[in-house]
Amino acid sequence: MNGVSAWQIFVWVALPYLALGIFVVGHIWRWRYDQFGWTSRSTQLQERRLLKWGAPIFHYGTFAAIGGHVIGVLIPETWTRAIGIPEPVYHWFSAAAGTLAAVLIIIGVVILAGRRLLVPRVRATTSTVDYVTLILLLLVIATGIVPTVFVNLLGHGYDYRTTVALWFRGLFSGSPDVRAIATAPIVYQVHAAAAWLIWALWPFSRLVHAWSAPVWYLWRPYIVYRSRVATPPAEPGTSGRRWRKIGVPY
Amino acid sequence: MRVMAQVAMVMNLDKCIGCHTCSVTCKQTWTNRPGTEYVYFNNVETKPGAGYPRRYEDQEQWNGGWTLDRKGRLQLRAGGRARRLLSIFYNPNLPTIDDYGDPWTYDYETLIDAPPGKLTPSAHSISALTGRDMRVRWGSNWEDDLAGGPESAAADPNLAGLGEQVKLAFEQVFMFYLPRICEHCLNPSCVASCPSGAMYKREEDGIVLVDQDRCRGWRFCVSGCPYKKVYFNHRTGKAEKCTLCFPRIESGQPTICSETCVGRLRYLGLMLYDADKVTAAAATTDPRGLYEAQLSVFLDPDDPRVRAAAAAQGIPADWLEAARRSPVYALIARHKVALPLHPEYRTLPMVWYIPPLSPVADTVSAAGYDADDPDQVFAAIDALRVPADYLASLFTAGDAGPVRRVLRTLMAVRTVMRARQLGTGDAVPAGLAAAAGASMADLDDLYRLLAIAKYDERFVIPPAHAEDAGRLMAQHEQLFCAQPGGPDDFHPPSGEAFRDDAGRLHLGLSPRSGS
């Protein structure tokens, strides 16, 4: 590819595929060997007053942001044009809805991160992978909010749907447009690269609880009965995380 | 009729001396790990008292258990399914660690490592959550033996219906212990609250368990259980609860709390019940009818139709025999001296209690009555409205009738046996048993159960039928552990397999080498 450095190939092609591979294999591994560690790791027992506001605001804000990314990055601009949404309308919608989501996420993440770092009882439960996840999340959130608010809402706007989105969708069709992302503003680049790191980290962090959203609960019978079934013990060395001994840190 | 078997427990509160041996042995067995410092699968509360966690019985505050909706249908008190899923990020009904008491240990190292000095070093209390110094404010037995007096005991939600004056007079004379484990309910609201479907009731023996691999830590079971007997392990992020010591029960042994109970007040045995009637019973309109409704769910193991149906539905012959001999069935259904704890929660609990008589009798003597004269004693039990009302708010949703009936029966047993021991049997009024609603044979049987019953009579637990599990285990050991030079020197079955009279399969195992 002309005019594309090896570094750019690494960041915009190798890293995403590597992250996707780790994401898939990591989840299979974790599901098979560490169901016991698969949990939302709630700290409501230790602290409830801040969580009451922080957790719902952050999660609902995140849902809004995820929806915005589906509309803005996964759905091609030609499709929204085809159903009669002109670019300015889309732009204003994305700026306004994106800003709303951004505000929710900022409020939520400030409460939650502050709580995690400053409330001793919560901080004591925080493991290394939690800190790494938190730092990456803060980076992605910051680099996501800055362009949404300062470029799209207050500034002149930037049509990421013709650059970032093209590259992103290209990854899934096997022909990522490296030049498209390489010419995007640095803030979008950091946002995308950090996001891929999060995908790679996902299976090894508490983020896995997202896949356990218990929607099935809406339909299942209230009382669950199970028969005592003989289960052969796990093969040696494959039982994953178990009860910790006294004195062993998280 | 869908016959199901349940391992149930009855505790005779008259005999509890509040020694906490059950709590200690339970904790040593199950919850002596980080993350479960504050977890007591078994705890002993002093009543009246706020309980553990504090005021857990106040469902106006915690919204545990079931309630009836406007159309009289059974519904979780915390709301419907969608409402729960929407509040999954913050559970409004979850107690915090301060409601249980911040678990603590002491800085024992200081006692040893402190440098020479004028002052004797002391061990500070340290929070088990943070490792920091802390002030101890509340814990599982903070109000043991009415410690804290009226200020602390007044927080008991069961006192809510009783007047202020009554409360004070009451506290001066009345106190008893209430050991609590998971109720292993017929209609468990914790199971219904679990969004992951990780909690379940075992079909064979009714034990309610948490699948540790499927629990995702959504923590609705903790708030859904009105008895607050599901706990959140703050280390693993998963729910844990009393297991009724299922590995022991499966091998025919009593739970560790029962085994080690100093007062021998616990009884374990099978109850047969009709699973088709459970929901209707739990939806009984009047909460005061729930005790009778639950009684109507139980099946008589001596009834030939029940036995036929049970056998047809795969309940093993030795289990049916055990159900017949069940001391729990005798106390709950035949003599009706055991009562459920807080039936108004509509979970149909399966750990029942014989209400305490002794404090009543003490009060009777103090009031100048002759405790040996049953007429006067019966009258005194009726006159002592306060304890009866208090017990009723614990055991019968406020209906003092059944409580008074049970106390009369217990008093009749005591009077008759005392007269017999002293050789003054003629002095017992003729109509005494009848007045208590029992025959003399009943009183004899009750005396035997309550005062004499040895280990084998108190614990009638048929071992689980785990023949297939045993085979799988054997295969496993052959595969992984019994290789030459492997960790286990396993010998495959070599003797003849045979069935015993109870229909259980015995595999003839050859003895281990060297043993």
Side-chain angles (χ1 to χ4, degrees):
Chain A
M1 244 182 277
N2 293 329
V4 179
S5 69
W7 170 247
Q8 283 169 337
I9 293 282
F10 172 74
V11 176
W12 306 123
V13 182
L15 175 69
Y17 285 128
L18 199 62
L20 272 178
I22 294 173
F23 180 82
V24 173
V25 176
H27 273 107
I28 294 172
W29 167 81
R30 182 108 190 249
W31 184 258
R32 284 188 60 175
Y33 294 135
D34 188 29
Q35 292 260 344
F36 182 60
W38 193 295
T39 157
S40 53
R41 272 210 151 290
S42 164
T43 50
Q44 192 185 334
L45 183 74
Q46 287 95 327
E47 197 284 331
R48 69 181 287 174
R49 272 182 304 169
L50 291 170
L51 188 86
K52 177 179 183 175
W53 297 102
I57 290 175
F58 175 75
H59 280 91
Y60 287 120
T62 307
F63 294 157
I66 290 170
H69 281 72
V70 170
I71 298 171
V73 180
L74 281 184
I75 298 177
E77 198 168 351
T78 48
W79 291 17
T80 50
R81 283 232 184 88
I83 58 170
I85 302 174
E87 168 62 20
V89 173
Y90 169 83
H91 176 85
W92 278 109
F93 169 75
S94 90
T99 303
L100 179 69
V103 168
L104 287 179
I105 291 179
I106 288 175
I107 297 172
V109 85
V110 163
I111 297 175
L112 288 186
R115 173 179 176 275
R116 186 153 286 282
L117 296 176
L118 300 178
V119 177
R121 282 176 177 177
V122 181
R123 185 166 182 166
T125 70
T126 312
S127 63
T128 312
V129 70
D130 291 335
Y131 282 119
V132 177
T133 314
L134 184 59
I135 290 167
L136 275 178
L137 270 181
L138 288 174
L139 186 63
V140 170
I141 289 169
T143 53
I145 285 170
V146 164
T148 302
V149 176
F150 295 100
V151 179
N152 283 339
L153 187 73
L154 305 176
H156 47 78
Y158 172 73
D159 190 4
Y160 49 83
R161 296 206 291 173
T162 57
T163 57
V164 182
L166 284 184
W167 158 76
F168 185 81
R169 287 199 302 275
L171 283 169
F172 295 97
S173 60
S175 56
D177 187 347
V178 177
R179 256 190 227 97
I181 179 76
T183 55
I186 184 77
V187 68
Y188 287 96
Q189 293 186 349
V190 175
H191 184 73
W196 281 115
L197 290 181
I198 286 190
W199 289 111
L201 189 69
W202 201 293
F204 313 104
S205 70
R206 67 168 69 195
L207 293 177
V208 290
H209 78 269
W211 313 125
S212 299
V215 186
W216 176 60
Y217 179 64
L218 292 173
W219 296 279
R220 76 138 220 255
Y222 262 142
I223 308 295
V224 178
Y225 289 95
R226 271 207 233 168
S227 194
R228 239 169 47 88
V229 199
T231 44
E235 300 161 32
T238 60
S239 58
R241 196 187 316 228
R242 287 293 147 201
W243 304 117
R244 305 297 180 85
K245 287 180 189 145
I246 290 173
V248 175
Y250 280 89
Chain B
M1 184 174 7
R2 191 155 57 97
V3 186
M4 290 184 89
Q6 164 95 30
V7 181
M9 189 186 281
V10 167
M11 299 193 218
N12 184 0
L13 294 184
D14 251 344
K15 291 188 173 184
C16 185
I17 58 171
C19 66
H20 301 281
T21 308
C22 46
S23 307
V24 172
T25 52
C26 173
K27 192 143 190 58
Q28 297 282 21
T29 306
W30 291 106
T31 56
N32 57 348
R33 296 164 278 126
T36 59
E37 302 90 350
Y38 79 104
V39 175
Y40 287 87
F41 291 169
N42 180 106
N43 74 311
V44 183
E45 289 163 10
T46 302
K47 287 287 168 191
Y52 186 76
R54 196 165 5 189
R55 290 184 62 80
Y56 71 91
E57 288 158 295
D58 182 5
Q59 302 313 328
E60 299 285 323
Q61 181 181 358
W62 302 112
N63 289 311
W66 302 85
T67 186
L68 297 182
D69 68 7
R70 274 186 217 137
K71 292 179 185 168
R73 290 171 308 189
L74 211 53
Q75 193 198 11
L76 285 171
R77 194 171 172 133
R81 300 163 192 258
R83 187 162 151 203
R84 197 156 16 265
L85 285 195
L86 288 174
S87 61
I88 202 162
F89 307 116
Y90 170 78
N91 178 348
N93 301 313
L94 191 78
T96 65
I97 194 72
D98 292 312
D99 294 307
Y100 298 93
D102 193 343
W104 75 93
T105 178
Y106 290 98
D107 177 21
Y108 295 109
E109 253 178 64
T110 307
L111 297 179
I112 300 165
D113 296 346
K118 286 182 182 169
L119 301 173
T120 310
S122 66
H124 277 272
S125 44
I126 313 174
S127 165
L129 296 180
T130 60
R132 298 180 176 208
D133 276 9
M134 62 169 276
R135 230 185 105 201
V136 180
R137 291 167 199 279
W138 189 261
S140 64
N141 283 313
W142 201 252
E143 44 178 14
D144 208 21
D145 292 342
L146 289 184
E151 301 98 70
S152 179
D156 184 341
N158 299 299
L159 291 172
L162 314 174
E164 183 64 31
Q165 197 184 353
V166 169
K167 274 187 223 168
L168 288 171
F170 170 56
E171 280 155 15
Q172 286 158 9
V173 296
F174 196 73
M175 180 194 94
F176 64 95
Y177 301 103
L178 183 72
R180 295 203 302 126
I181 64 169
C182 165
E183 298 282 344
H184 297 278
C185 306
L186 298 185
N187 184 35
S189 54
C190 56
V191 173
S193 301
C194 172
S196 309
M199 291 193 78
Y200 60 99
K201 192 169 177 63
R202 295 213 299 192
E203 278 174 20
E204 292 83 357
D205 50 20
I207 297 178
V208 177
L209 294 172
V210 184
D211 184 336
Q212 291 290 314
D213 275 353
R214 287 185 66 182
C215 173
R216 300 287 173 251
W218 301 127
R219 72 219 175 285
F220 282 106
C221 53
V222 179
S223 55
C225 171
Y227 303 94
K228 291 294 170 283
K229 275 296 173 186
V230 189
Y231 296 86
F232 190 81
N233 180 324
H234 60 83
R235 277 259 174 153
T236 61
K238 305 233 162 180
E240 292 187 35
K241 66 180 288 300
C242 160
T243 63
L244 205 67
C245 289
F246 70 87
R248 291 176 62 93
I249 294 285
E250 282 174 14
S251 58
Q253 294 175 296
T255 64
I256 203 75
C257 53
S258 309
E259 172 86 46
T260 59
C261 175
V262 174
R264 303 183 179 181
L265 60 95
R266 299 190 187 221
Y267 298 80
L268 276 163
L270 286 187
M271 293 295 284
L272 298 182
Y273 68 98
D274 185 353
D276 289 334
K277 285 190 185 167
V278 166
T279 310
T284 303
T285 316
D286 180 7
R288 296 186 171 202
L290 280 160
Y291 163 56
E292 288 293 336
Q294 187 168 0
L295 278 180
S296 75
V297 169
F298 300 137
L299 296 171
D300 181 359
D302 285 322
D303 184 341
R305 282 173 307 165
V306 171
R307 298 177 69 79
Q313 288 166 35
I315 293 183
D318 59 331
W319 278 54
L320 277 176
E321 201 46 45
R324 240 172 156 165
R325 291 178 45 226
S326 169
V328 171
Y329 180 79
L331 294 169
I332 291 178
R334 202 171 294 140
H335 301 301
K336 295 194 172 63
V337 291
L339 300 170
L341 181 63
H342 288 303
E344 70 272 21
Y345 299 159
R346 299 179 181 277
T347 60
L348 306 191
M350 288 305 283
V351 174
W352 287 39
Y353 295 88
I354 302 174
L357 175 66
S358 295
V360 179
D362 289 348
T363 320
V364 168
S365 307
Y369 288 97
D370 178 4
D372 292 333
D373 181 344
D375 280 348
Q376 287 205 19
V377 167
F378 284 175
I381 288 171
D382 287 343
L384 281 174
R385 291 298 301 274
V386 180
D389 278 349
Y390 183 79
L391 292 173
S393 67
L394 273 180
F395 298 122
T396 50
D399 181 4
V403 171
R404 234 179 275 140
R405 176 180 53 71
V406 172
L407 294 180
R408 282 186 198 189
T409 309
L410 296 177
M411 201 64 221
V413 173
R414 193 172 290 197
T415 310
V416 167
M417 292 321 295
R418 180 177 163 81
R420 203 175 285 171
Q421 289 289 327
L422 297 176
T424 56
D426 299 340
V428 176
L432 177 71
S439 69
M440 285 305 277
D442 284 338
L443 296 188
D444 275 345
D445 193 31
L446 262 178
Y447 166 68
R448 174 151 194 89
L449 263 171
L450 297 179
I452 306 287
K454 301 293 183 199
Y455 194 88
D456 289 346
E457 290 175 73
R458 278 180 283 129
F459 309 125
V460 181
I461 306 159
H465 283 257
E467 293 89 0
D468 292 335
R471 269 208 300 280
L472 277 174
M473 178 70 87
Q475 272 178 7
H476 162 79
E477 288 186 338
Q478 281 177 310
L479 284 173
F480 298 110
C481 302
Q483 302 305 319
D488 193 8
D489 196 13
F490 179 79
H491 292 264
S494 62
E496 289 285 304
F498 64 95
R499 280 188 189 278
D500 64 14
D501 296 341
R504 283 165 54 214
L505 184 69
H506 290 257
L507 299 173
L509 297 174
S510 62
R512 283 165 186 263
S513 60
S515 63

